[in-house]
């Protein structure tokens, strides 16, 4: 049992978010799928090249990337990753934000 | 003409590289493909879930992620991305390291 690589989130600080959606959608040549709710921080960039999700996220932090790991059982997977040295940062809705022992931020999200 | 999303590189600083290969390969449940040349900084983590490449890279910098954009014509694509506000950081072998206007580091690599 392990996580599956689920996607990449291009996390953009507030001040560069709008420019970020424009740059990244034009760079990848895809139309951004904006959420109906303007306070929703996620803008999806459907990728033509693969089944991996790519999105731009507005964050209240410095710009960065993070990756999503998909798990059938988020709690069990978070515990397994803790045993491998990762730390839980915070729970959000249905997923866990975690930090790898290498310092990388990632989320463990439920399979849909 | 645009880049295609090509993959994610989990860049690990020297001090956490070996642990990083172990953590990320166990997290994703895949056997790492180590290069024959031990000075080669790339360890591939073949992803079971998609056609996107995932690798762990040893870097002489703080740990971070970066993404690869794949282009048929690297030079033309780097120029197009510059016009969108990205900056060239340095050329490496057959690709360009660039920084997006959002601050994100990425590479423009040739299609194989």
């Amino acid at each position: 049992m392990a996580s599956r690589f689920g996607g990449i989130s291009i996390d953009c600080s507030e001040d560069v978010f709008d420019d970020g959606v424009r740059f990244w959608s034009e760079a990848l040549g895809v139309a951004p799928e904006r959420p109906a709710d303007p306070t929703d921080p996620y803008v999806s960039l459907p990728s033509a090249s693969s089944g991996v999700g790519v999105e731009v996220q507005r964050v209240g932090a410095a710009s960065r990337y993070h990756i999503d790991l998909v798990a059938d059982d988020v709690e069990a997977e978070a515990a397994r990753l803790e045993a491998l040295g990762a730390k839980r940062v915070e729970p959000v809705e249905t997923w866990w934000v975690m930090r790898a022992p290498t310092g990388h931020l990632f989320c463990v999200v439920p399979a849909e």
Side-chain angles (χ1 to χ4, degrees), chain A:
Chain A
M1 193 65 173
S3 304
R4 299 181 295 286
F5 181 70
I8 175 82
S9 180
I10 302 167
D11 301 339
C12 292
S13 58
E14 298 277 356
D15 57 322
V16 297
F17 178 67
D18 290 335
D19 285 345
V21 171
R22 193 159 41 241
F23 174 81
W24 288 105
S25 60
E26 291 189 17
L28 293 165
V30 294
E33 288 184 359
R34 293 176 191 276
D37 176 356
T39 66
D40 184 330
Y42 305 102
V43 174
S44 180
L45 300 179
S47 170
S49 67
S50 75
V52 164
V54 180
E55 66 186 11
V56 179
Q57 184 184 187
R58 185 176 57 236
V59 295
S63 292
R64 66 190 179 209
Y65 298 108
H66 84 256
I67 65 173
D68 287 342
L69 303 185
V70 179
D72 292 323
D73 182 332
V74 167
E75 182 54 38
E77 181 63 6
R80 191 184 73 90
L81 295 166
E82 268 187 322
L84 291 172
K87 305 263 187 235
R88 295 181 200 236
V89 176
E90 61 172 339
V92 180
E93 300 180 27
T94 58
W95 62 91
W96 268 101
V97 180
M98 300 189 73
R99 191 170 295 281
T102 48
H104 297 85
L105 203 67
F106 66 95
C107 294
V108 182
V109 306
E112 297 203 336

